[in-house]
């Protein structure tokens, strides 16, 4: 059986080996037992029920609430030669009947349904099917604890009871401990085993930038996108208005971009989403409403234009990048205004305390000075032992220094201003600024006025926020963000406690450190070829009316562009190429690779140039031949070609005038064709091919 599942993985999906836990889950399912699969987005959950579905002699029912996803998944399965279909509200009753007939006749391996559909057909034709497995995707929807509760899901338990012998599989990417129990209970899973894979998505780089003014933020984003030409990405904004503004700014700059938010009607949203999936729009600027029903594997970057509300949302959103496993980038921008705004929202809504706590954790993450992935994963209960090396903090670790005196200056400023003002006023006082507010409050009389002149505004801000993070001061958001000194802060002010601060890293420094797009620097991928392959993929996708990444994902194309497969076996060895795709698309892609190989060779190895370089060094043709391990004839033919191209070479040195004259006569007699053999023969093999070639070059050049 192990061999069978392994073979299916390779033959059908084109993958070499299972990811952690997949095989165990698959075997358990084939043995008829229930499982609960908790894996991050892009972790490879679908494979866990798709392989058993191919092994079983019967049908697998997949319940999913995301209608747009169903269509993509079914297309992806079909493209691998699997018999799969789906129902949703968009198909006609005739199409529906066709699907039902196929299912009843045993002509389907997988059938995707929404929960409401399943419930409504449960007692009709569904009873005639030979159901071997039921997979419940987005299983957290059954739990009232979660944020996506769907009442229809609660009826699935009844369905489960009608099929006591059939294995059920619940799958989700989000469920904390209390929700997990609830899900098992609500779905009536008996003796199910919980499988949790690591939530670490190593291929996602993490970067955070704070306090970047709007104009600069937009400029940075434009630069970022420019360096990632033609790559897909998502930019998340807090408000609908923001999405439209940012999108129009990027459009002005000539980018392929659209906005997406809940204020648009259903059709507009659908179209925007489809264009993105099909690579017709590269960048989407969206509120968090975007992304739920999207399986697009080649999203190369996710940018947060504002601070997300909590780490759960943030992690889910950045998780939409890099599902294909290729390096992908995430960037979070935040400023205190976002934080204050959210705090106010939280005050007005329900669950205030919990929401505020989550928001605080989000801010702590954004302002962290240690490995961000460590912080993020520990929030989800996973503890990394090593720093990740793929976040901005790891790549540019902060340096710390004795910061007690600096802190005392700020604390003393706060105390003298009677804890009534916010960060900006404090910094202006410390720096001795001369503005109307300071005059109105007569702050220039304070002892602390101007004692922090030597520190820039930007750095002061960073230090004060560090002080807040270390618990020296508190920002009172409910009191116009006035700064208050905490008991620890008083201790520092009185000299009873010391503290350390870290040197701020300005956005400029980060920009300087910014490497080119990660996704384009890996491997030996040939970019021209990769672009060509992408083009043909796009053309085929249009013809077949399906998303391009379903034909081959970016990872497969990159591998093709570096491995250059030109035979069926070589092509099948590319990850993501199964038998079906090999047969369907192999020839088309390989012919491009072959053409590329043929053209690339002389371009890649400018052999005449190498000869010329040695020639310029003063080497004799015979020495060049020896050095390059080529025949002397070849070297002379290089020299002839270089001479014809106008390079300065005294060919006359290598051939006598008499020979040139002999060759000229015959060359003219033979209609000036570039054929050496007849001349060679007519000269009774007395003149070498090299001399003939040199002669012709001289003859042509001198006329
Ligand atoms: P999830 O449903 O957990 O978000 P998917 O099932 O969509 O994730 O899988 C994410 C990607 O990983 C898909 O492109 C899938 O083809 C790929 N994948 C799954 N299993 C493997 C494997 N064993 N080897 C290589 N790629 C895999
Ligand atoms: Zn790190």
């Amino acid at each position: 059986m192990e061999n069978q599942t392994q073979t299916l993985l390779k033959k059908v999906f084109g993958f070499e080996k299972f990811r952690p836990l997949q095989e165990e889950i698959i075997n358990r399912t084939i043995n008829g037992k229930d499982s609960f699969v908790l894996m991050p987005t892009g972790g490879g959950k679908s494979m866990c029920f798709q392989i058993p579905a191919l092994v079983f002699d019967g049908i697998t029912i997949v319940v999913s609430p995301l209608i747009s996803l169903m269509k993509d998944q079914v297309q992806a399965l079909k493209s691998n030669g699997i018999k799969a279909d789906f129902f949703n509200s968009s198909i006609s009753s005739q199409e529906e009947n066709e699907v039902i007939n196929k299912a009843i006749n045993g002509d389907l391996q997988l059938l995707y349904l929404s929960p409401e559909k399943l419930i409504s057909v449960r007692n009709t034709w569904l009873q005639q099917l030979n159901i071997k497995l039921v997979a419940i995707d987005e299983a957290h929807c059954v739990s009232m604890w979660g944020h996506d509760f769907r009442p229809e899901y609660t009826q699935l338990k009844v369905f489960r009871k009608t099929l006591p012998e059939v294995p059920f599989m619940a799958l989700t990417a989000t469920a904390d401990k209390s929700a997990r129990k609830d899900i098992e209970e609500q779905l009536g899973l008996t003796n199910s085993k919980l499988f949790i894979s690591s939530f670490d998505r190593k291929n996602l780089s993490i970067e955070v930038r704070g306090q970047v003014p709007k104009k600069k933020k937009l400029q940075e984003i434009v630069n970022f996108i420019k360096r990632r030409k033609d790559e897909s990405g998502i930019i998340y904004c807090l408000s609908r208005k923001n999405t439209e503004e940012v999108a129009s700014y990027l459009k002005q700059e000539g980018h392929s971009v659209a906005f997406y938010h809940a204020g648009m009607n259903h059709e507009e949203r659908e179209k925007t989403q489809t264009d993105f999936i099909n690579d017709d729009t590269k960048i989407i600027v969206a509120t968090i409403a975007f992304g739920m029903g999207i399986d697009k594997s080649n999203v190369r970057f996710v940018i947060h234009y504002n601070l997300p509300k909590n780490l759960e949302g943030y992690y889910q959103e950045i998780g939409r990048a890099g599902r294909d496993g290729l390096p992908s980038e995430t960037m979070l921008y935040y400023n205190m205004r976002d934080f204050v705004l959210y705090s106010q929202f939280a005050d007005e809504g329900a669950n205030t305390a919990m929401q505020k706590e989550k928001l605080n954790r989000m801010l702590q993450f954004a302002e962290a000075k240690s490995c961000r992935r460590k912080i993020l994963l520990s929030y989800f209960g996973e503890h990394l032992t090593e720093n990740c090396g793929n976040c901005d903090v790891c790549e540019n670790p902060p340096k710390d220094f004795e910061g007690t005196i600096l802190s005392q200056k700020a604390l003393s400023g706060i105390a003298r201003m009677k804890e009534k003002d916010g960060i900006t006023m404090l910094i202006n006082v410390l720096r001795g600024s001369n503005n109307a507010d300071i005059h109105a409050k007569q702050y220039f009389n304070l002892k602390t006025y101007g004692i922090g002149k030597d520190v820039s505004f930007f750095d002061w801000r960073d230090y004060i926020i560090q002080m807040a993070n270390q618990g020296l001061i508190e920002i009172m958001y409910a009191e116009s963000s006035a700064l208050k000194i905490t008991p620890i802060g008083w201790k520092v002010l009185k000299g009873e406690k010391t503290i350390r601060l870290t040197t701020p890293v300005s956005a400029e420094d980060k920009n300087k450190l910014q490497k080119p797009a990660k996704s384009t620097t890996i491997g030996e991928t040939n970019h021209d070829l990769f672009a060509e392959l992408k083009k043909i993929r796009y053309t085929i996708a249009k013809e077949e009316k399906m998303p391009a990444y379903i034909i081959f994902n970016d990872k497969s194309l990159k591998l093709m562009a570096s491995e250059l497969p030109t035979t069926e076996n070589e092509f099948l060895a590319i990850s993501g190429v199964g038998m079906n795709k090999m047969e369907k698309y192999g020839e088309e892609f390989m012919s491009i690779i072959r053409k590329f190989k043929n053209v690339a060779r002389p371009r890649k190895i400018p052999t005449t140039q190498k000869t010329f370089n040695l020639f310029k060094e003063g080497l004799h043709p015979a020495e060049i031949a020896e050095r390059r391990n080529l025949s002397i004839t070849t070297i002379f033919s290089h020299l002839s070609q270089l001479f014809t191209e106008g390079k300065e070479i005294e060919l006359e040195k290598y051939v006598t005038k008499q020979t040139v004259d002999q060759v000229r006569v015959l060359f003219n007699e033979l209609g000036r064709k570039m054929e050496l053999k007849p001349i060679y023969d007519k000269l009774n093999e007395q003149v070498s091919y090299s001399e003939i070639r040199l002669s012709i070059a001289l003859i042509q050049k001198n006329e």
Side-chain angles (χ1 to χ4, degrees):
M1 189 177 71
E2 238 158 65
N3 269 339
Q4 188 191 3
T5 56
Q6 192 82 46
T7 309
L8 285 168
L9 182 71
K10 179 67 200 157
K11 267 192 149 163
V12 179
F13 297 96
F15 297 134
E16 225 43 59
K17 53 180 201 300
F18 285 109
R19 290 193 181 150
L21 300 184
Q22 282 181 334
E23 197 162 22
E24 215 184 311
I25 298 165
I26 289 166
N27 290 339
R28 183 180 168 86
T29 306
I30 295 173
N31 287 325
K33 291 181 190 147
D34 293 354
S35 301
F36 190 147
V37 179
L38 192 51
M39 285 184 183
T41 308
K45 287 186 285 296
S46 322
M47 197 63 78
C48 299
F49 58 80
Q50 287 170 353
I51 295 259
L54 303 185
V55 172
F56 286 134
D57 167 27
I59 192 165
T60 291
I61 301 289
V62 185
V63 183
S64 166
L66 304 171
I67 288 174
S68 54
L69 248 177
M70 261 185 216
K71 190 173 149 210
D72 283 1
Q73 285 217 356
V74 166
Q75 270 183 335
L77 288 167
K78 283 184 175 168
S79 77
N80 281 320
I82 298 168
K83 288 183 266 181
D85 234 312
F86 69 98
F87 275 135
N88 70 30
S89 42
S90 71
I91 69 173
S92 68
S93 59
Q94 192 199 335
E95 284 171 310
E96 192 167 316
N97 280 330
E98 280 169 23
V99 176
I100 295 171
N101 282 335
K102 274 197 272 182
I104 292 174
N105 294 333
D107 219 12
L108 274 188
Q109 292 163 297
L110 292 111
L111 177 61
Y112 283 68
L113 293 169
S114 65
E116 33 310 358
K117 188 77 197 178
L118 178 82
I119 300 307
S120 77
V121 301
R122 179 162 53 95
N123 293 320
T124 60
W125 55 267
L126 205 72
Q127 289 188 329
Q128 296 176 49
L129 306 187
N130 181 18
I131 298 173
K132 284 291 169 74
L133 166 63
V134 178
I136 297 162
D137 212 355
E138 312 292 338
H140 59 275
C141 292
V142 74
S143 171
M144 278 188 270
W145 298 96
H147 45 286
D148 285 336
F149 175 61
R150 301 205 179 211
E152 316 85 64
Y153 261 65
T154 55
Q155 293 184 53
L156 292 172
K157 191 172 185 171
V158 187
F159 177 58
R160 201 272 172 277
K161 285 197 173 135
T162 63
L163 297 167
E165 303 298 319
V166 172
F168 269 54
M169 184 186 292
L171 305 103
T172 177
T174 52
D176 59 30
K177 269 198 186 126
S178 50
R180 277 175 221 161
K181 274 232 157 57
D182 192 36
I183 293 169
E184 291 192 342
E185 163 63 31
Q186 295 296 325
L187 291 176
L189 299 190
T190 43
N191 271 326
S192 94
K193 183 169 171 184
L194 175 64
F195 294 90
I196 308 179
S197 78
S198 166
F199 270 61
D200 188 4
R201 298 274 313 279
K202 293 191 174 60
N203 62 321
L204 303 184
S205 70
I206 301 173
E207 178 160 354
V208 181
R209 293 186 186 188
Q211 317 298 345
V212 184
K214 184 172 167 181
K215 237 185 170 161
K216 187 141 188 305
K217 184 155 71 170
L218 283 171
Q219 197 47 53
E220 282 187 16
I221 292 175
V222 166
N223 289 340
F224 180 93
I225 293 169
K226 261 189 205 146
R227 271 182 275 134
R228 286 144 188 86
K229 205 174 170 306
D230 284 340
E231 303 279 29
S232 291
I234 306 173
I235 301 172
Y236 286 111
C237 297
L238 175 58
S239 70
R240 296 176 186 179
K241 196 169 132 253
N242 264 171
T243 64
E244 298 187 10
E245 270 174 23
V246 174
S248 90
Y249 185 84
L250 296 180
K251 198 167 244 162
Q252 254 175 30
E253 296 280 326
H255 296 287
S256 161
V257 54
F259 61 83
Y260 181 104
H261 57 64
M264 293 154 65
N265 69 35
H266 178 76
E267 269 156 39
E268 288 167 335
R269 290 209 309 254
E270 185 101 344
K271 166 133 184 24
T272 307
Q273 185 164 315
T274 311
D275 285 350
F276 181 62
I277 289 171
N278 291 339
D279 290 341
D280 292 326
T281 304
K282 299 290 180 196
I283 297 158
I284 298 290
V285 189
T287 56
I288 49 166
F290 185 78
M292 259 298 261
I294 288 191
D295 222 352
K296 188 173 167 65
S297 72
N298 60 344
V299 176
R300 291 272 74 87
F301 61 87
V302 168
I303 298 174
H304 281 89
Y305 191 77
N306 305 97
L307 187 76
K309 283 195 190 82
N310 51 51
L311 286 167
E312 285 91 343
Y314 169 70
Y315 200 55
Q316 201 166 21
E317 283 146 28
I318 64 171
R320 292 181 182 133
R323 277 166 177 257
D324 52 15
L326 289 178
S328 305
E329 293 165 287
T330 78
M331 169 81 83
L332 161 64
Y333 285 101
Y334 75 97
N335 57 50
M336 289 318 271
R337 206 171 302 134
D338 304 339
F339 180 77
V340 173
L341 206 63
Y342 277 134
S343 293
Q344 286 164 356
F345 286 162
D347 281 336
E348 289 156 14
N351 257 336
T352 302
M354 189 172 81
Q355 283 195 31
K356 279 201 151 174
E357 174 53 29
K358 291 195 164 185
L359 185 57
N360 282 329
R361 294 292 292 266
M362 187 69 232
L363 186 66
Q364 279 167 14
F365 166 80
E367 298 188 328
K369 303 274 180 178
S370 62
C371 175
R372 295 195 197 275
R373 197 176 312 261
K374 260 191 175 168
I375 299 174
L376 197 53
L377 287 170
S378 85
Y379 180 77
F380 295 108
E382 209 174 312
H383 300 285
L384 293 183
T385 51
E386 308 264 325
N387 288 340
C388 78
N390 196 17
C391 73
D392 55 338
V393 181
C394 280
E395 291 188 355
N396 189 27
K399 296 179 194 67
D400 68 340
F401 62 94
E402 166 56 54
T404 311
I405 293 177
L406 204 66
S407 303
Q408 284 170 339
K409 287 183 183 170
L411 290 166
S412 143
I414 299 171
R416 284 170 203 273
M417 287 154 69
K418 310 237 157 22
E419 302 186 311
K420 284 208 171 68
D421 295 277
I423 291 187
T424 308
M425 179 63 94
L426 173 63
I427 299 173
N428 283 334
V429 168
L430 291 171
R431 287 177 43 78
S433 305
N434 203 356
N435 69 24
D437 283 349
I438 287 180
H439 272 270
K441 296 193 172 184
Q442 305 252 310
Y443 280 161
F444 47 80
N445 289 326
L446 297 179
K447 252 188 140 172
T448 41
Y449 183 75
I451 58 166
K453 265 200 190 88
D454 49 331
V455 177
S456 74
F457 188 93
F458 175 88
D459 288 359
W460 264 126
R461 182 173 205 117
D462 197 281
Y463 294 136
I464 294 164
I465 287 167
Q466 286 185 52
M467 289 165 63
N469 282 344
Q470 295 196 38
L472 273 55
I473 50 178
E474 206 174 331
I475 304 171
M476 309 303 286
Y477 293 104
E479 299 170 30
S480 339
S481 300
L483 303 173
K484 296 251 153 53
I485 303 174
T486 65
I488 307 175
W490 284 111
K491 277 192 175 174
V492 174
L493 187 55
K494 289 185 206 152
E496 294 165 11
K497 187 178 162 46
T498 61
I499 82 151
R500 297 191 75 77
L501 294 171
T502 61
T503 314
V505 181
S506 73
E508 279 77 20
D509 290 342
K510 284 192 176 180
N511 273 337
K512 270 180 228 144
L513 291 164
Q514 185 84 36
K515 295 167 298 296
K518 294 198 167 145
S519 48
T520 55
T521 55
I522 57 149
E524 295 260 317
T525 305
N526 217 306
H527 294 288
D528 294 347
L529 178 57
F530 181 57
E532 281 293 305
L533 296 174
K534 258 179 150 172
K535 247 188 243 160
I536 180 82
R537 178 178 71 174
Y538 183 80
T539 311
I540 298 174
K542 284 279 160 258
E543 279 164 18
E544 303 203 352
K545 294 193 175 57
M546 62 161 87
Y549 67 86
I550 286 184
I551 295 172
F552 287 122
N553 69 20
D554 281 11
K555 192 175 183 177
S556 301
L557 291 197
K558 285 230 153 132
L559 284 168
M560 289 177 204
S562 60
E563 303 294 310
L564 307 178
T566 49
T567 65
E568 290 203 352
N569 276 338
E570 286 169 359
F571 201 73
L572 277 171
I574 298 290
S575 171
V577 180
M579 287 303 279
N580 203 63
K581 288 188 180 173
M582 161 71 224
E583 267 163 38
K584 227 168 150 187
Y585 310 120
E587 213 25 67
E588 239 168 313
F589 284 80
M590 279 191 289
S591 75
I592 287 173
I593 296 168
R594 279 190 208 109
K595 249 188 241 153
F596 176 84
K597 264 183 159 172
N598 290 339
V599 182
R601 196 162 288 137
R603 224 198 309 167
K604 230 164 121 189
I605 318 153
T607 183
T608 54
Q609 187 60 41
K610 284 187 191 165
T611 296
F612 189 51
N613 292 343
L614 293 172
F615 184 77
K616 276 192 297 189
E617 277 176 46
L619 267 67
H620 189 273
E623 290 173 296
I624 299 174
E626 199 182 7
R627 183 83 76 85
R628 298 205 54 206
N629 205 13
L630 294 169
S631 75
I632 181 80
T633 318
T634 307
I635 301 302
F636 275 125
S637 102
H638 289 171
L639 293 177
S640 305
Q641 193 187 324
L642 289 161
F643 176 82
T644 313
E645 283 165 13
K647 295 266 174 358
E648 274 207 50
I649 298 173
E650 290 182 55
L651 280 193
E652 294 87 344
K653 271 187 6 200
Y654 307 111
V655 56
T656 63
K657 188 167 182 314
Q658 192 196 354
T659 309
V660 176
D661 286 339
Q662 279 179 314
V663 173
R664 183 183 288 116
V665 174
L666 294 169
F667 184 57
N668 285 335
E669 254 178 43
L670 291 164
R672 301 179 72 85
K673 280 196 227 115
M674 269 310 283
E675 283 173 16
L676 307 189
K677 189 160 189 312
I679 298 174
Y680 183 69
D681 290 342
K682 288 230 158 142
L683 292 170
N684 303 322
E685 306 180 7
Q686 293 301 305
V687 176
S688 72
Y689 276 109
S690 294
E691 288 171 285
I692 299 173
R693 177 157 288 160
L694 292 168
S695 302
I696 294 178
L698 282 165
I699 294 162
Q700 286 178 324
K701 189 69 187 273
N702 292 333
E703 280 161 11

